[in-house]
Amino acid sequence: MCGIVGFVGKREASPILIEGLSKLEYRGYDSAGVAILDGDKLNVTKCKGRLANLEDKLETTPLKGCVGIGHTRWATHGEPSDLNSHPHTTEDGTISVVHNGIIENYIHLREWLMTKGYNFASETDTEVIPHLVDYFYDGDLTDAVMKAVAKMEGSYAIGVVCSKEPDKVVAVRKDSPLIVGLGKEESFIASDIPAILNHTRDIYLLNDKEFVVMTKDGVKLLSEEGEEIKRDIYHVTWNADAAEKGGFEHFMIKEIHEQPKVIKDTMTSRIMPGKPVTLDDIKITKEQIENIDKIYIVACGTAYHAGVVGKYVIEKLARIPVEIEVASEFRYRDPIINERTLMMVISQSGETADTLAALREAKKQGARVIAVTNVVGSSVSREADDVLYTWAGPEIAVASTKAYVTQLIAMYMIALFFAENKKTISEETIDQIKKEMLTLPEKAEKVLENKETIQKFTAKTYMHKDMFFLGRGLDYAVAMEGSLKLKEISYIHSEAYAGGELKHGPIALIEKGTIVIAGATQEDLFDKMVSNIKEVKTRGANVLGITCEGHDEIEKTVDSALYIPKVMDILSPVVSVIPLQLLSYYMAIQKGCDVDKPRNLAKSVTVE
Ligand code: F6R
């Protein structure tokens, strides 16, 4: 939630902050603002709405200065409004703060600060921070921020500027992401790497409760005890282009088209027929694998749906019982965990608050934790025992697409890795799966070439208010993801059901013209699925059937048919999800929705 940036250098801060915020808008876009120091004068401009509104304001009244902070907001405490926008500033206009996270004890701090004579202008939790810093300020901003942070509970990445120390930005993080960019005679802070990638590739990754002091002389990292920390520089190797639209109209469609490449990247040097699966950062031993009696896969949203596929393939290939659960439920229900439990968390961002909390809970109770994440140095990657990186590159669109398919690849690789160690399936079968996995990029490419059926179908159906996704086995797992995609970007209500479950209630909702999208890619379940399709057809549904090439007989049952290349049953989700991603994209386009910035959503949910 929310994106923050900060800059200290010799160049004008305003365009650099705005450019950084534009790369962070995926984190929230309810309001935006900047605070820039012009000598010892602190100027703040902020307003409700998209970043474009702030840009208009700055065009009319530019802010000069080479030191500043900026913010793009996803509202939690206080509605989106000019007043609730960040930066928040002290009444005397000397200290300004941007914040990503939630100050959980803000009510208590607010009341306490009011007894000290401070007045509050907004409804936000954040506003306590500038007042706290002011309360502790005694000529040293770093010291005041440290004292303020010691009083704060909750999650935060903050950037602070003060007109009495006009060449400085002080920042700190706890449970919210923050990185430091190291340029030539300039430095940056940001919630995420793309925000600074046009200026530098050298960054510091920060741990919780580490402080950053940026001045014209450089960057200092301090521990909460105030001791200087030495940190290796992390050099970003991917291109800034990877975070640009590259000729596509939206990030989402660009990312959908990147899937053949990222599927390949995620498998490269890990999957080779005739050789064991190689997962560099997974150090778990053969003995430890043999000792596992249960795996929990815990994640949120799309990552959870990848976990549903993970359960199926790990149980099938490695014969270890797997429970899959959404992180927000897992953390509060006293799950049964011991040293024989393996916890697997899946998180594109690696910063999702519920997933991180579930990871911590499992570790506390003695479980070993494997993190599957897309972001190097993210919180889950640092706190887990083992990490498997998905190489999807930066995912900017709020609706996750390319991260999902790489998470699926991660699930297959882990299942094969366990199966090899436990010898639960023959070497021939393992090799056959690996060979078939290596054909997935090409098959994904073929699906992308065949968009027309989807475009025609969406042009005829986009005005419907409800849709159903059906599937059996792995097609049901994919149906859940298809349904989520459709809801989040086109605002069409949809439900995903297991084909056999529909008649136990929801079939009552099927009437003439109801749109049903039915997946029938699983060879063993094809006939059963066709029977389920007939059940809805008989009640008047308009059905789009998705199956593998060679199953033309489906055309006798459905209204429109879409074929994906023939693929081994367990691997089909990687290919069959693509038409559903395209379907949601074109539905949203037909409806004129803002695809990359769907209402009420943010890319990274770093609050509970
Ligand atoms: C849906 C979507 C979300 C995320 C969820 C978890 O398109 O993007 O459902 O999948 O918020 O995010 P991560 O994977 O970053 O933990």
Side-chain angles (χ1 to χ4, degrees), residues 299-305 346-353 355 372-373 380 395 397-401 403 407 481 484-485 488-489 601-605:
C300 302
T302 287
Y304 167 81
H305 294 153
I346 310 174
S347 174
Q348 186 284 128
S349 62
E351 301 293 347
T352 300
T355 308
V372 173
T373 182
V380 302
E395 192 178 60
V398 168
S400 183
T401 53
Q407 287 160 354
E481 176 57 11
L484 174 64
K485 283 291 89 84
E488 66 183 327
I489 62 161
L601 296 179
K603 179 77 182 155
S604 187
V605 186

Side-chain angles (χ1 to χ4, degrees), residues 415-431:
L416 288 173
F417 177 69
F418 288 166
E420 281 173 351
N421 277 279
K422 292 189 69 195
K423 301 205 181 317
T424 40
I425 44 172
S426 71
E427 281 176 17
E428 292 72 45
T429 310
I430 290 180
D431 249 24

Side-chain angles (χ1 to χ4, degrees), residues 442-444 446-447 547-549 563-568 575:
E442 194 189 312
K443 288 177 176 158
K446 268 189 97 179
V447 180
T547 188
C548 292
E549 281 164 0
Y563 298 97
I564 61 167
K566 180 90 199 85
V567 57
M568 191 184 265
V575 184

